[in-house]
Amino acid sequence: MEATLNFEEKDWLACCGSTKFAKEMASASPFSSLDQAVSAARDIWFNKVDVNGWLEAFAAHPQIGQWSKGEQSTAISTASTSILQELADWNARYRQKFGFIFLIFASGRSSGEILVELKKRYENRPIVEFEIAAQEQMKVTELRLAKLFATRTRSAATGKPSQEVPTRTRPPITTHILDVSRGSPAAGVEVLLEMWHGAQPRPSFGGRGDAGGWVYQGSSKTNTDGRSGQLTSIVDAVKPGIYRISFNTGEYNPSGFFPYVSIVFEIRESQKLEHFHVPLLVSPFSFSTYRGS
């Protein structure tokens, strides 16, 4: 028999700043699983919470650039003074146009990526942007629900994380490509993820003796937002080791300088519960990357 988890109205309010949402979730409780709670949350958010409730939830968020610890950790680590200032300026323009703060599921996104998306969405009609903001709010709510259930489950009898309620809501390794020459996401780029399983403990510099050592993990093409599909399974603990992520930049831009770009990185035992976001900033004659989180 499945155990049910009971939460108070304040718990639901912490997941979404709409009082109507919190009251409806409390009324629909208890839930036997995270999936059941997320299903109820989606129905309540999109079908029972009105426009005022949406605005109330939007207002409960910190402005992008005035960081929400954890959910905007990647943006914090990649924010330069100039980008922070530009984010502040565009936030002000956005709010003046739409009447509410810019809302985005910021987990795993760099400050530069967020700025690109802000500028892109600024061009939307208000009714379109309002719907997008509501969808982004739901993504944030789902992440918070997953954390809420994981925390409550871990505090149950065993004191160990539940296998039925993963703490992750996305794969542990993700990527995103920005075409800096166009100032937009790079769509349709093939991405390949491999892991080192060679006879040597580590791949050699220059690739000497590495034949057969790299093992396929997953591949996909970037979408219109420049984000790849799922490259690995959604697991709580990623397997420590050395990984290589490759981008087919030659196919994306045949006249460019790089036929492909490969980035090799190591995940240590102490880092297996972390998230690794490996963004690529690319132009015909240059590229750069950094460690996201």
Side-chain angles (χ1 to χ4, degrees):
M1 184 177 180
E2 278 190 303
T4 57
L5 296 175
N6 290 300
F7 300 97
E8 299 178 18
E9 189 175 311
K10 64 180 179 63
D11 296 317
W12 304 121
L13 191 61
C15 294
C16 175
S18 161
T19 53
K20 172 68 172 177
F21 174 86
K23 289 181 183 297
E24 290 286 345
M25 285 294 287
S27 178
S29 299
F31 300 106
S32 61
S33 69
L34 172 62
D35 286 345
Q36 188 182 55
V38 168
S39 179
R42 288 174 179 164
D43 177 60
I44 290 169
W45 177 247
F46 290 112
N47 298 315
K48 297 181 180 179
V49 177
D50 61 15
V51 169
N52 290 328
W54 283 9
L55 290 172
E56 182 186 17
F58 296 170
H61 283 271
Q63 178 174 292
I64 290 294
Q66 296 175 350
W67 312 111
S68 173
K69 187 177 179 181
E71 291 172 6
Q72 297 181 27
S73 59
T74 300
I76 294 172
S77 66
T78 60
S80 65
T81 302
S82 60
I83 286 184
L84 282 175
Q85 183 58 55
E86 198 169 0
L87 276 170
D89 294 343
W90 276 93
N91 266 308
R93 293 175 63 180
Y94 179 97
R95 188 162 195 164
Q96 184 175 21
K97 177 178 179 179
F98 297 110
F100 51 86
I101 66 166
F102 176 68
L103 189 65
I104 190 171
F105 182 69
S107 184
R109 292 178 183 248
S110 72
S111 53
E113 293 168 16
I114 291 171
L115 182 58
V116 168
E117 186 67 14
L118 197 166
K119 291 178 179 179
K120 176 183 173 183
R121 283 172 49 187
Y122 179 80
E123 301 300 324
N124 289 334
R125 291 183 296 117
I127 191 170
V128 172
E129 183 58 23
F130 195 50
E131 180 67 28
I132 292 174
Q135 292 170 359
E136 293 296 306
Q137 168 67 56
M138 192 65 241
K139 293 177 187 177
V140 174
T141 299
E142 288 180 28
L143 175 63
R144 292 174 178 175
L145 287 173
K147 290 179 178 179
L148 178 65
F149 270 70
T151 301
R152 184 62 59 87
T153 304
R154 283 198 298 268
S155 66
T158 62
K160 297 179 180 179
S162 169
Q163 297 302 309
E164 297 180 359
V165 184
T167 55
R168 292 190 194 271
T169 58
R170 56 183 172 163
I173 301 173
T174 57
T175 188
H176 180 233
I177 310 176
L178 290 176
D179 186 334
V180 294
S181 66
R182 300 177 181 176
S184 64
V189 181
E190 183 180 5
V191 181
L192 170 68
L193 181 68
E194 301 165 288
M195 186 178 183
W196 177 251
H197 283 284
Q200 312 170 73
R202 309 173 71 83
S204 60
F205 177 73
R208 295 181 294 275
D210 287 357
W214 291 104
V215 177
Y216 174 89
Q217 300 295 302
S219 63
S220 72
K221 285 197 172 185
T222 55
N223 60 19
T224 55
D225 289 328
R227 296 185 175 277
S228 70
Q230 190 166 318
L231 298 173
T232 65
S233 299
I234 300 178
V235 294
D236 284 345
V238 64
K239 188 174 182 180
I242 298 175
Y243 290 82
R244 180 170 69 183
I245 189 167
S246 300
F247 306 87
N248 194 346
T249 49
E251 182 182 61
Y252 172 73
N253 188 350
S255 62
F257 186 69
F258 305 99
Y260 68 90
V261 172
S262 288
I263 299 165
V264 178
F265 58 97
E266 183 173 8
I267 299 176
R268 303 182 186 279
E269 177 69 28
S270 61
Q271 299 173 310
K272 65 184 182 181
L273 298 180
E274 296 180 23
H275 176 253
F276 297 84
H277 188 61
V278 190
L280 183 72
L281 307 180
V282 67
S283 72
F285 300 103
S286 67
F287 74 88
S288 62
T289 188
Y290 49 87
R291 157 76 202 279
S293 61

